[in-house]
C-alpha cells in the first residue's frame, strides 16, 4: 500500500497514458502521474540528460549501431540486429573493436534479448522510444539529442547502406527526431499531444516541462562540421562555409553543438581518448587528415586525457605500409593544436546566433581559448555535458553562467565526482545533470551485484514521490539494475535510485534541480546581446608604431577599427603603450584584448580623466596572449591605455582589437 500510486487530483487523469500504443510493444513498468507545474518561485523540476544520441543508428553509414528508436512496423522491426550480425555475430567487427573478443553474440532482439541491449554492448540500440518514455516517467524533463556521425569511421567500416557525408547524416537524424515526435503524438491523439516535445527556445521548454512533458533539445556532435576538416594542416572550409552551416543547423532547430570531436579539424584540436580506443581514433585521424595527434607540455594545471598508446590491431591494419602510430612523451599531455582562426570565427558565429557551445572534446588549449572569447563578452552559453572538460575549469564555467553534467558513470564513481564539485554548485546555486551518451559507444554502468548491501529494491518511488517504478520488461526479458546494470535508456530511473542508495538524497536533489539550471543557462544565452565597444573607432595614439613594412598600416587606430584582420603593432621594445580617447567620461568595468602573436607577458590597464594623470585599473605579470579580459571595479574615465611592461616574445606588442565596456 505504501508503494501504491498516488491518486491524481488532475482533471485530466491518465493524460500520460497513450490511447493507441502499438501492440505488441515494450512495457513501461511505471505507475502514477508524472509531476508537472512549478514550485512557489516559478521554477521547474526534473532531471537533465545533457548528452544522448537517439538517432545514431542513422549515422556512420547506417550499420554501426543496430536497431531503431522507433518503427512504423513495430517493435520487432525496430529492435532487430544488423543483418551481418546473423547468425552468431561473427562479422560484428565494430563490436570486436569496441568490446574486445570475437564479437559473437545472439543477434535476436525482440522478443528474447538474450545478449543485447547490455551495458557493455556498444553497437546495439539503447534508445527505443518506450525506454525513453520510462525515463521521462521516472523524472527526466530535459533530453539533449545530439545528432552524431563520423565520416572517417563510416568510410573505413566494412558495412554501410548509405553515403558518409556528415551533414547529410545530421539532416537525416534531425528529420528522424521530428518523425519520432509525430509517431508518439499519433499514440496520444494527434499533433502536439504526446510527451516527446522538440523545443527551440527556453520559454517553450519551460512550458513543456510545466505541462509535465519531456523537452527535447537538438544538438550536434560530429568530427568535421560544415566540411571543416584539415588535410596536412590545411583547412578545407571557409568562413562562408561556417556561416552557411550554422544557419542551416539553426534552421533545423539545433541550439547547441560541438566544434570538434575525436579528430583534430580545421576549427580546433581535440581532447585525446585513452587506451586502444585512443589508438584507433588516432589512426582514424591520420586516415582523414594525413596527420597524427601532436602533443606538447601543458602550460597550466589543466591537461588532456592520457593519449592512447595501447595497440588496436584492427584499426592499425588500415594504415598505409610503413606508417605507424607515433609514440608520445609521457610529460607532454596537451594537444598542440588549439582553437584556429576559423575556430574562433565559429565560436563567435555561435555567439552571434545565441547558440550554446559544447566545450567537451576540445583539447585544453582550444577550450581555454574558447573560454577566453566567451569571457570577453560575458557569454553564458557554455555546456560541459559528459565529463570531458577538465574539472579544474568547473568554476570558470559556472562564473560565465554555464551548465555542467557528468557522464553516466557507475553510482560510486558518479557520486564521488559529484562530491568534488558540490561546493561550487552550492556557491553558484546551480543544479546538476548527467550525460548518458547512449548509442555513443562509451560503455555504461555495470551491475553492482545482487549481494551488495545497498541494492536497488524494487518497486521504488521516483524522486518526486509520485510514481512507482518496477523492473523493466520488454518482450520476454526483464532487466534488474543490480544484476544487469544500465543496459538501455529505460534503466535511467533505476540508476538514479542506485545513486540515492550509494550517495544519498543530496545528489538526487541536485539532479532534480538540473532542469531549472539548464533552462537558466539557455535563457541567458538567448537574451545575451553584445555590448557596445566604447573604444570603437575612437581617436587612438601610441608610444610607437612598427614601420618595417611600408605596405601594411600598423597604426594605433587599427586596434579599434572592428576588423580582426588588422592590428596595431609597436616597435620591438618593452615599454610601449596604445591609448584611446572615448570622447567623454564613461564608467568602465571591463577591457578586452585580442593579441596577435606578439603579446605582452606583463602589462597594465590604465585610465585617466584628462589624458595626463593616469591610474592603474588592472595589471598582470602572467599574460599568455590570445584573448584577455581585464575586469575591475567600476571606474569613471575618458581615456584608456594598454601599457606594455614586458614582452612575451622577441617582437614588440601587437593587438588586433581592444574593447572597452561599461558592463
Amino acid at each position: 500500500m505504501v508503494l501504491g500510486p498516488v491518486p491524481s487530483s488532475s482533471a485530466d487523469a491518465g493524460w500520460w497514458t497513450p490511447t493507441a500504443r502499438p501492440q505488441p510493444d515494450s512495457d513501461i513498468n511505471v505507475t502514477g502521474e508524472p509531476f508537472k507545474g512549478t514550485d512557489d518561485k516559478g521554477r521547474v523540476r526534473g532531471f537533465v540528460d545533457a548528452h544522448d544520441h537517439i538517432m545514431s543508428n542513422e549515422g556512420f553509414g547506417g550499420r554501426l549501431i543496430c536497431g531503431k528508436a522507433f518503427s512504423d512496423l513495430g517493435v520487432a522491426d525496430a529492435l532487430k540486429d544488423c543483418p551481418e550480425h546473423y547468425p552468431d555475430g561473427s562479422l560484428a567487427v565494430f563490436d570486436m573493436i569496441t568490446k574486445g573478443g570475437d564479437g559473437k553474440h545472439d543477434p535476436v532482439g525482440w522478443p528474447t534479448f538474450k545478449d543485447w541491449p547490455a551495458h557493455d554492448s556498444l553497437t546495439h540500440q539503447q534508445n527505443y522510444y518506450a525506454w525513453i518514455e520510462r525515463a521521462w516517467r521516472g523524472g527526466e524533463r530535459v533530453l539533449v539529442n545530439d545528432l552524431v556521425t563520423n565520416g572517417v569511421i563510416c568510410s573505413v567500416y566494412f558495412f554501410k547502406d548509405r553515403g558518409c557525408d556528415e551533414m547529410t547524416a545530421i539532416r537525416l537524424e534531425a528529420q528522424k527526431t521530428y518523425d519520432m515526435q509525430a509517431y508518439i503524438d499519433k499514440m496520444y491523439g494527434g499533433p502536439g499531444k504526446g510527451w516527446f516535445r522538440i523545443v527551440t527556445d527556453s520559454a517553450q521548454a519551460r512550458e513543456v516541462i510545466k505541462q509535465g512533458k519531456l523537452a527535447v533539445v537538438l544538438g550536434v556532435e560530429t568530427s568535421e562540421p560544415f566540411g571543416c576538416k584539415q588535410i596536412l594542416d590545411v583547412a578545407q572550409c571557409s568562413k562562408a562555409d561556417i556561416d552557411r552551416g550554422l544557419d542551416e543547423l539553426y534552421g533545423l532547430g539545433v541550439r547547441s553543438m560541438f566544434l570538434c570531436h575525436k579528430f583534430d579539424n580545421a576549427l580546433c584540436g581535440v581532447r585525446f581518448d585513452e587506451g586502444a580506443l585512443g589508438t584507433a581514433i588516432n589512426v582514424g585521424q591520420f586516415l582523414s587528415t594525413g596527420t597524427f595527434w601532436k602533443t606538447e607540455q601543458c602550460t597550466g594545471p589543466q591537461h588532456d586525457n592520457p593519449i592512447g598508446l595501447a595497440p588496436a590491431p584492427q584499426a592499425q591494419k588500415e594504415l598505409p605500409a610503413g606508417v605507424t602510430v607515433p609514440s608520445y612523451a609521457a610529460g607532454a599531455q596537451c594537444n598542440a593544436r588549439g582553437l584556429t582562426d576559423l575556430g574562433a570565427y565559429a565560436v563567435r558565429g555561435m555567439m552571434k546566433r545565441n547558440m550554446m557551445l559544447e566545450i567537451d572534446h576540445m583539447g585544453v588549449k582550444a577550450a581555454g581559448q574558447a573560454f577566453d572569447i566567451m569571457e570577453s563578452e560575458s557569454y553564458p552559453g557554455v555546456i560541459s555535458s559528459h565529463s570531458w572538460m577538465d574539472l579544474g575549469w568547473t568554476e570558470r564555467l559556472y562564473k560565465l553562467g554555464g551548465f555542467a553534467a557528468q557522464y553516466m558513470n557507475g553510482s560510486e564513481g558518479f557520486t564521488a565526482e559529484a562530491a568534488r564539485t558540490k561546493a561550487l554548485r552550492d556557491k553558484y546555486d546551480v543544479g546538476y545533470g548527467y550525460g548518458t551518451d547512449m548509442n555513443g559507444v562509451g560503455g555504461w554502468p555495470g551491475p553492482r551485484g545482487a549481494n551488495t548491501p545497498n541494492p536497488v529494491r524494487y518497486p521504488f518511488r521516483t524522486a518526486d514521490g509520485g510514481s512507482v517504478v518496477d523492473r523493466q520488461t520488454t518482450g520476454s526479458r526483464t532487466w534488474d539494475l543490480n544484476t544487469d546494470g544500465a543496459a538501455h535508456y529505460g534503466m535511467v530511473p533505476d540508476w538514479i535510485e542506485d545513486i540515492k542508495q550509494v550517495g544519498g538524497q543530496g545528489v538526487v536533489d541536485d539532479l532534480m534541480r538540473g532542469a531549472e539550471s539548464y533552462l537558466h543557462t539557455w535563457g541567458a544565452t538567448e537574451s545575451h546581446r553584445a555590448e557596445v565597444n566604447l573604444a570603437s573607432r575612437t581617436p587612438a595614439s601610441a608610444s610607437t608604431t612598427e614601420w618595417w613594412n611600408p605596405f601594411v598600416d600598423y597604426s594605433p587606430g587599427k586596434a579599434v577599427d572592428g576588423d580582426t584582420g588588422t592590428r596595431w603593432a609597436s616597435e620591438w621594445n618593452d615599454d610601449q603603450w596604445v591609448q584611446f580617447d572615448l570622447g567623454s567620461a564613461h564608467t568602465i568595468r571591463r577591457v578586452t584584448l585580442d593579441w596577435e602573436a606578439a603579446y605582452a607577458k606583463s602589462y597594465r590597464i590604465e585610465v585617466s580623466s584628462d589624458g595626463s594623470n593616469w591610474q592603474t585599473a588592472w595589471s598582470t605579470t602572467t599574460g599568455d596572449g590570445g584573448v584577455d579580459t581585464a575586469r575591475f571595479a567600476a571606474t569613471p574615465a575618458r581615456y584608456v591605455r594598454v601599457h606594455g611592461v614586458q614582452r612575451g616574445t622577441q617582437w614588440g606588442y601587437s593587438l588586433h582589437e581592444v574593447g572597452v565596456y561599461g558592463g
Side-chain angles (χ1 to χ4, degrees):
M1 291 178 63
V2 170
L3 283 175
V6 174
S8 171
S9 59
S10 172
D12 56 345
W15 61 269
W16 58 92
T17 304
T19 57
R21 188 187 299 278
Q23 292 298 328
D25 204 355
S26 172
D27 296 339
I28 307 301
N29 307 105
V30 181
T31 56
E33 180 178 9
F35 61 86
K36 57 169 68 173
T38 60
D39 66 12
D40 57 1
K41 295 182 179 179
R43 298 174 299 196
V44 298
R45 298 177 294 160
F47 305 130
V48 176
D49 182 352
H51 194 107
D52 187 31
H53 301 292
I54 299 174
M55 299 297 170
S56 66
N57 60 289
E58 303 292 351
F60 308 98
R63 298 268 275 275
L64 200 74
I65 305 298
C66 305
K68 307 172 187 176
F70 74 100
S71 171
D72 290 328
L73 299 179
V75 64
D77 181 66
L79 297 179
K80 65 181 180 182
D81 214 338
C82 292
E84 58 274 7
H85 287 199
Y86 290 86
D88 62 358
S90 295
L91 294 181
V93 178
F94 192 62
D95 205 79
M96 300 177 204
I97 293 173
T98 57
K99 187 179 177 180
D102 57 11
K104 290 187 177 181
H105 62 274
D106 181 354
V108 177
W110 175 270
T112 55
F113 300 106
K114 178 182 177 182
D115 287 338
W116 67 269
H119 72 90
D120 57 352
S121 174
L122 311 187
T123 63
H124 295 97
Q125 180 61 252
Q126 294 175 296
N127 278 306
Y128 186 58
Y129 92 90
W131 299 337
I132 298 174
E133 180 178 349
R134 176 179 161 93
W136 158 63
R137 293 283 300 275
E140 187 168 290
R141 291 298 179 267
V142 176
L143 188 159
V144 180
N145 178 32
D146 281 318
L147 315 174
V148 65
T149 190
N150 184 292
V152 175
I153 292 176
C154 172
S155 66
V156 301
Y157 192 54
F158 304 99
F159 306 105
K160 61 181 73 70
D161 55 26
R162 64 200 67 178
C164 294
D165 180 72
E166 291 192 353
M167 290 303 291
T168 299
I170 295 303
R171 295 181 193 107
L172 176 61
E173 291 180 38
Q175 183 57 55
K176 286 291 185 179
T177 309
Y178 284 101
D179 291 347
M180 186 164 121
Q181 176 178 259
Y183 177 81
I184 295 170
D185 278 353
K186 187 176 179 180
M187 298 182 202
Y188 286 80
K193 295 188 176 181
W195 52 268
F196 185 94
R197 312 304 325 148
I198 300 170
V199 295
T200 55
D201 62 61
S202 62
Q204 186 182 17
R206 192 172 292 278
E207 182 58 30
V208 164
I209 298 170
K210 186 177 178 181
Q211 294 171 10
K213 299 182 179 182
L214 179 67
V216 180
V217 184
L218 296 185
V220 166
E221 183 185 43
T222 192
S223 295
E224 295 163 349
F226 330 127
C228 281
K229 68 186 300 177
Q230 57 93 4
I231 298 178
L232 298 176
D233 292 320
V234 177
Q236 305 298 300
C237 68
S238 65
K239 291 180 178 179
D241 294 323
I242 292 169
D243 284 328
R244 279 193 297 269
L246 287 173
D247 286 342
E248 179 183 6
L249 291 178
Y250 194 91
L252 290 173
V254 172
R255 295 297 180 266
S256 72
M257 72 173 294
F258 296 78
L259 291 179
C260 51
H261 175 240
K262 299 304 183 184
F263 300 155
D264 294 345
N265 60 25
L267 306 177
C268 44
V270 294
R271 189 166 166 85
F272 308 129
D273 278 83
E274 303 179 51
L277 181 59
T279 300
I281 291 171
N282 204 3
V283 168
Q285 159 144 330
F286 179 85
L287 296 175
S288 175
T289 69
T291 59
F292 290 105
W293 288 329
K294 298 182 181 72
T295 63
E296 65 182 16
Q297 293 283 340
C298 302
T299 58
Q302 291 79 24
H303 57 81
D304 291 325
N305 295 323
I307 199 164
L309 295 175
Q314 289 280 353
Q316 289 171 272
K317 287 192 299 186
E318 300 294 325
L319 289 171
V323 176
T324 58
V325 178
S327 58
Y328 296 92
Q333 202 175 324
C334 280
N335 194 330
R337 191 178 187 87
L339 192 69
T340 67
D341 289 343
L342 283 174
Y345 184 82
V347 170
R348 294 188 186 279
M350 291 183 67
M351 292 165 63
K352 180 181 177 181
R353 293 163 178 82
N354 300 98
M355 298 172 72
M356 292 178 285
L357 175 66
E358 293 268 10
I359 209 78
D360 288 3
H361 287 298
M362 278 188 178
V364 295
K365 185 174 183 178
Q369 292 166 322
F371 269 119
D372 287 344
I373 292 173
M374 291 183 287
E375 287 167 345
S376 74
E377 296 193 23
S378 299
Y379 190 76
V382 56
I383 304 288
S384 174
S385 60
H386 65 334
S387 299
W388 273 74
M389 179 189 74
D390 190 291
L391 278 181
W393 272 335
T394 304
E395 184 161 22
R396 196 173 183 184
L397 177 143
Y398 284 149
K399 277 185 177 180
L400 276 171
F403 181 80
Q406 184 191 154
Y407 190 83
M408 189 184 183
N409 297 308
S411 53
E412 296 98 334
F414 190 92
T415 55
E417 185 172 321
R420 287 198 293 272
T421 54
K422 172 64 173 171
L424 287 175
R425 290 198 299 279
D426 290 345
K427 178 178 178 179
Y428 291 94
D429 193 24
V430 294
Y432 203 35
Y434 50 82
T436 62
D437 201 17
M438 289 210 173
N439 286 358
V441 196
W444 298 275
R448 290 199 297 123
N451 296 323
T452 185
N454 53 347
V456 172
R457 292 180 172 85
Y458 295 93
F460 60 86
R461 283 204 175 277
T462 52
D464 66 294
S467 297
V468 175
V469 181
D470 209 339
R471 293 174 179 82
Q472 201 283 316
T473 297
T474 304
S476 58
R477 175 74 188 272
T478 296
W479 284 272
D480 183 319
L481 189 84
N482 301 304
T483 54
D484 297 309
H488 60 68
Y489 206 90
M491 305 301 288
V492 168
D494 313 54
W495 170 71
I496 291 174
E497 176 68 12
D498 201 41
I499 288 173
K500 178 181 174 181
Q501 298 303 317
V502 170
Q505 185 64 41
V507 185
V508 178
D509 289 344
D510 278 1
L511 290 171
M512 277 292 281
R513 297 177 61 206
E516 179 61 37
S517 286
Y518 182 89
L519 295 188
H520 186 270
T521 293
W522 191 5
T525 303
E526 292 169 324
S527 62
H528 181 270
R529 297 293 179 267
E531 293 180 68
V532 174
N533 180 4
L534 300 173
S536 178
R537 304 189 183 280
T538 57
S541 57
S543 55
T544 62
T545 297
E546 188 177 293
W547 55 269
W548 68 272
N549 187 340
F551 303 104
V552 181
D553 181 2
Y554 296 119
S555 61
K558 295 299 180 181
V560 288
D561 64 357
D563 183 354
T564 57
T566 63
R567 59 189 174 97
W568 163 72
S570 76
E571 292 182 352
W572 297 5
N573 299 300
D574 277 340
D575 189 19
Q576 306 287 341
W577 51 262
V578 61
Q579 70 182 48
F580 313 98
D581 179 358
L582 307 184
S584 60
H586 294 269
T587 300
I588 310 301
R589 293 183 175 86
R590 179 167 56 99
V591 173
T592 63
L593 304 102
D594 185 356
W595 294 99
E596 194 254 351
Y599 68 93
K601 180 179 180 181
S602 175
Y603 68 96
R604 56 183 181 261
I605 305 298
E606 300 171 337
V607 295
S608 172
S609 60
D610 57 10
S612 298
N613 299 295
W614 296 89
Q615 67 182 82
T616 298
W618 184 91
S619 65
T620 183
T621 58
T622 57
D624 59 358
V627 178
D628 286 346
T629 300
R631 300 178 187 275
F632 42 86
T635 304
R638 172 174 172 172
Y639 300 90
V640 177
R641 174 186 286 179
V642 182
H643 197 144
V645 178
Q646 181 184 359
R647 291 168 293 159
T649 69
Q650 63 184 351
W651 304 293
Y653 303 101
S654 187
L655 285 161
H656 284 297
E657 282 292 308
V658 175
V660 178
Y661 302 97

